[in-house]
Amino acid sequence: MIKIKNLHKNFGMLQVIKGINLHVKSGEVVCIIGPSGSGKSTVLRCINKLEVPSSGTIEVDGYDIMDKQTNINKVRTEAGMVFQQFNLFPHMTILENVTLGPLKVRNMSKGDANALGLKLLDKVGLKEKAINFPDQLSGGQKQRVAIARSLALQPKVILFDEPTSALDPELVGEVLDVMQKLAKEGMTMIVVTHEMGFAKEVADRVIFIDEGVIQEEGSPQEFFSNPKNPRLKDFLGKVV
Ligand code: ADP
Ligand code: MG
């Protein structure tokens, strides 16, 4: 589903990503962990070209994102993104937030979009909030709406960038539960997270990025029980 080869990204003189290779198969859940500033968000943002890679190649479901012929909007519909800050439109109802994509991007009829929107709100446990506005919801509820909105475009993969980092601790679980449900249903997911419990339980593979390179990767079992890289050991010592 995703093939990243020898990705480099510089911001001016700053080399942020220094040769990352990553393949993600359909249905796989990959968790990315690593210290702040190590380049995790930049990798995610390169996948749907919110940042333009400095060099290397990225394929999303067969589309070469660097190819000028590739319709990048098409790639962005295939690779949905969920951010730390939920980025809902404050002046639109919850249902309108979810149906905007299907109406504008998928050219769905209003009736079909509303039916899909309500189905997805039901899936994230928020059907009863359809006609509320974002500021009437808790952070955890807003993030679940953001997930429903992302699903509304029927993406092939969802990129999560620290989806629970902005939430009060008691609201983290409800969002992780929705994500775990998606994973079980076979959604392909790349999740940047500090939630080690989620990574252990849900990930097929865990990746540790530090200083713009993948320092270690493995199944959750080997990754957490037998970390080899000294930086990873140090990192796990601080967060777990
Ligand atoms: P992480 O998500 O792991 O915390 P980021 O990918 O956000 O790290 O950032 C990696 C580095 O790139 C940081 O030093 C950050 O300041 C820098 N960076 C990120 N985006 C930009 C940008 N648009 N312009 C300049 N520097 C950036
Ligand atoms: Mg980040």
Side-chain angles (χ1 to χ4, degrees), residues 123-205:
K123 189 186 186 94
V124 300
L126 290 170
K127 200 174 175 184
E128 76 283 6
K129 299 289 186 193
I131 57 164
N132 286 89
F133 286 87
D135 67 2
Q136 298 169 310
L137 269 56
S138 72
Q141 290 173 330
K142 280 184 217 174
Q143 192 60 298
R144 287 188 279 146
V145 173
I147 293 172
R149 176 181 59 180
S150 152
L151 289 170
L153 286 176
Q154 293 155 309
K156 298 246 172 82
V157 50
I158 304 187
L159 313 170
F160 292 89
D161 194 359
E162 299 198 31
T164 59
S165 294
L167 300 177
D168 291 335
E170 75 272 22
L171 303 178
V172 167
E174 65 192 61
V175 173
L176 295 180
D177 286 348
V178 167
M179 291 167 62
Q180 181 161 22
K181 191 161 115 186
L182 287 182
K184 282 202 180 121
E185 290 172 4
M187 178 59 83
T188 312
M189 301 168 38
I190 303 183
V191 184
V192 173
T193 187
H194 294 293
E195 294 295 329
M196 299 303 147
F198 178 85
K200 269 181 205 162
E201 205 175 328
V202 181
D204 296 302
R205 197 145 46 101

Side-chain angles (χ1 to χ4, degrees), residues 35-42 84 161-162 192 194:
S36 179
S38 58
K40 306 178 300 295
S41 296
T42 303
Q84 183 174 336
D161 194 359
E162 299 198 31
V192 173
H194 294 293

Side-chain angles (χ1 to χ4, degrees), residues 9-12 14-17 32-45 50-51 84 161-162 192 194 209 212:
K9 174 66 185 174
N10 310 327
F11 292 107
L14 182 69
Q15 295 187 315
V16 173
I17 303 300
I32 298 179
I33 67 169
S36 179
S38 58
K40 306 178 300 295
S41 296
T42 303
V43 172
L44 284 195
R45 293 168 61 81
L50 291 177
E51 299 290 355
Q84 183 174 336
D161 194 359
E162 299 198 31
V192 173
H194 294 293
I209 292 184

